[in-house]
């Protein structure tokens, strides 16, 4: 039986962006920019960005949209991928990066599939600091345990 286990850590202090881009974009992204579009990027705010419908809907989205790479269909695999992104003031996912990629010059099949999954995400509900919408970084760790 194959199963995927997702681990969502510190959901309140991280954010995610997504648009269809090639892997060179992701390899060159800034994983911890202090600013984006001249706006400060926060890690912790009063009201963190959220996926439409909350964490349960996010987990459902991940389960439905994270594709198991064909290269690993017949093998046991246990790994983790760490994706980070920024949610802007309109809820758009931007600056999608693989945080701590396994290789500096290319992505593993699971990292590529994780990025594709982020590209499919809808807009998020933006984060707020003292009642004002702000840019917030989100970290999305995903643990994969396929048996």
């Amino acid at each position: 039986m194959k199963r995927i286990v997702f681990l969502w850590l510190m959901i309140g202090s991280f954010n995610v962006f997504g648009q269809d881009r090639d892997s060179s974009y992701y390899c060159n992204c800034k994983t911890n920019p202090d600013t984006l579009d001249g706006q400060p990027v926060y890690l912790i705010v009063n009201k963190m960005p959220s996926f439409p419908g909350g964490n349960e809907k996010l987990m459902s989205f991940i389960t439905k949209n994270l594709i198991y790479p064909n290269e690993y269909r017949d093998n046991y695999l246990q790994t983790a991928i760490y994706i980070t992104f920024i949610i802007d003031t309109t809820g758009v996912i931007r600056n999608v990066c693989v945080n701590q990629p396994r290789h500096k010059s290319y992505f593993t099949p699971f990292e590529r599939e994780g990025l594709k999954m982020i590209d499919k995400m809808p807009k998020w509900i933006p984060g707020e600091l003292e009642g004002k919408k702000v840019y917030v970084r989100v970290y999305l760790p995903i643990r994969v345990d396929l048996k």
Side-chain angles (χ1 to χ4, degrees), residues 3 6 8 13 31 33 38 47 53 63 71 75 78-79 86-87 90 94 102 112 116 122-124 126-127 132-133 139:
R3 69 178 184 176
F6 300 99
W8 176 267
S13 62
T31 57
K47 182 181 174 191
T63 301
E71 306 78 312
N75 301 315
Q78 185 175 1
T79 189
I86 297 169
I87 303 297
T90 64
R94 302 184 47 203
R102 298 242 183 244
R112 284 193 309 272
K116 288 178 186 177
K123 284 185 175 183
W124 283 46
K132 181 181 174 189
K133 293 179 182 178
Y139 289 88

Side-chain angles (χ1 to χ4, degrees), residues 116-128:
K116 288 178 186 177
M117 184 232 2
I118 298 297
D119 286 340
K120 296 176 186 176
M121 283 188 172
K123 284 185 175 183
W124 283 46
I125 299 166
E128 294 182 16

Side-chain angles (χ1 to χ4, degrees), residues 66-132:
L66 184 63
I67 305 297
Y68 184 65
N70 285 331
E71 306 78 312
Y72 299 115
R73 287 271 180 218
D74 298 324
N75 301 315
Y76 169 74
L77 180 67
Q78 185 175 1
T79 189
I81 55 176
Y82 305 94
I83 300 175
T84 179
F85 48 90
I86 297 169
I87 303 297
D88 72 12
T89 56
T90 64
V92 173
I93 298 171
R94 302 184 47 203
N95 197 68
V96 180
C97 302
V98 173
N99 197 26
Q100 304 172 358
R102 298 242 183 244
H103 307 282
K104 292 188 185 227
S105 60
Y106 67 93
F107 293 113
T108 66
F110 272 110
E111 289 168 340
R112 284 193 309 272
E113 291 303 328
L115 292 170
K116 288 178 186 177
M117 184 232 2
I118 298 297
D119 286 340
K120 296 176 186 176
M121 283 188 172
K123 284 185 175 183
W124 283 46
I125 299 166
E128 294 182 16
L129 180 63
E130 298 176 0
K132 181 181 174 189

